[in-house]
Amino acid sequence: EGCNQITTVGFLLGDATRAAADANPDVDFAIVDFAFSDPETFEPNAPANAKGLTFDTGQPSFLAGYIAAGTSTSGKVGTFGGLNIPTVTIFMEGFRKGVEQYNEDNGTAVEVIGWDGTDGSFTEDFEDQAKGQQVAEQMIQQGADIIFPVAGPAGLGGLKAAQDAGANGIWVDTDGCEPAAEYCDILLTSVMKGMDVAVEDAIQASVDDEFSNEVYLGTLENGGVDLAPLGDGVSEELATKVDELKAQIISGELTLD
């Protein structure tokens, strides 16, 4: 149809986007949540006309995990994903590490249900809210009082389960108080990634004839990822500590590898 810039969305579209870029060298492509690389060496190998837009969501997820651990009264928090793919598990692993950090700092033993660092709970679907609700209800039955779904719209079922049980939730990608306002009262925060800014910048670069295939990485430092405003359930003391941790991540004092 004559488009000279095309943006695709999602890790699973990586191969298709590469094929389209190779077949259409005069069209600029950008893809959200994917970085082109050699499958064996992992070295960047993006086509000249294709740009990956990636986000280090592990950073704000770490802060969210710290908040969850510091807010939980049961000593158990839960997380689940849509699919077991890197753009999902990066959230879950960051969350787990944040809980670990809280335990280390405070001598506690808050438990993460749904992700152990290598495997966990997944709905195998990003749309079915009933599946998300079912997974979250199982976690709540196991004692989790905070639910962190990384499952797109299916995650809304997780928030419903939390709300019905008098538990709290943490949302992903955007400030949950906007697309899921009905659950805003139970949200401690949201792990946000600036997809809108990254996509607009890639399009503008094409318009200005300044497009490059250099991968974009959103971080806490450049504002490409962040936490949404904290909910009333987060204490001032905990909020202050999280601000300190954020500054340490930005400065490099605290590394999450």
Side-chain angles (χ1 to χ4, degrees):
E1 296 182 356
C3 297
N4 55 19
Q5 197 284 341
I6 297 172
T7 301
T8 61
V9 183
F11 178 84
L12 298 178
L13 289 178
D15 290 343
T17 304
R18 179 188 289 279
D22 289 341
N24 300 276
D26 294 330
V27 177
D28 291 336
F29 288 81
I31 176 170
V32 174
D33 281 343
F34 185 81
F36 298 97
S37 62
D38 184 283
E40 295 183 358
T41 66
F42 302 105
E43 290 295 318
N45 66 353
N49 60 325
K51 182 181 189 71
L53 307 177
T54 66
F55 305 86
D56 191 351
T57 49
Q59 292 184 343
S61 293
F62 173 90
L63 301 178
Y66 202 96
I67 289 169
T71 305
S72 174
T73 57
S74 69
K76 294 182 179 180
V77 298
T79 182
F80 66 89
L83 290 175
N84 190 348
I85 56 177
T87 48
V88 169
T89 58
I90 185 176
F91 284 91
M92 300 168 75
E93 179 64 1
F95 183 79
R96 184 187 70 83
K97 288 182 176 178
V99 173
E100 280 192 347
Q101 185 68 52
Y102 181 88
N103 286 336
E104 182 179 327
D105 289 349
N106 296 277
T108 51
V110 179
E111 178 186 349
V112 177
I113 299 172
W115 181 249
D116 63 8
T118 57
D119 197 12
S121 299
F122 298 91
T123 60
E124 304 300 333
D125 181 279
F126 286 103
E127 299 297 331
D128 192 334
Q129 294 186 30
K131 287 184 179 179
Q133 183 173 350
Q134 181 181 25
V135 172
E137 285 173 347
Q138 292 171 350
M139 292 179 171
I140 291 168
Q141 290 171 4
Q142 295 176 63
D145 61 356
I146 296 169
I147 302 296
F148 180 50
V150 191
L156 292 171
L159 296 188
K160 185 178 189 312
Q163 189 177 62
D164 289 348
N168 288 109
I170 297 173
W171 193 239
V172 294
D173 290 344
T174 61
D175 184 345
C177 285
E178 296 175 7
E182 65 270 34
Y183 301 115
C184 187
D185 62 325
I186 68 161
L187 291 179
L188 300 177
T189 187
S190 301
V191 175
M192 303 188 300
K193 55 185 179 183
M195 293 180 287
D196 52 348
V197 176
V199 169
E200 182 178 0
D201 285 352
I203 294 171
Q204 191 64 51
S206 292
V207 171
D208 296 338
D209 198 26
E210 296 176 351
F211 186 89
S212 80
N213 68 348
E214 182 180 356
V215 67
Y216 167 85
L217 177 62
T219 65
L220 289 174
E221 182 176 12
N222 64 22
V225 295
D226 207 348
L227 286 182
L230 305 185
D232 294 338
V234 182
S235 69
E236 290 187 15
E237 180 182 2
L238 184 57
T240 299
K241 178 61 178 179
V242 168
D243 284 342
E244 293 174 0
L245 292 170
K246 178 180 177 180
Q248 290 173 10
I249 293 172
I250 291 173
S251 70
E253 180 183 348
L254 175 60
T255 59
L256 307 183
D257 296 335

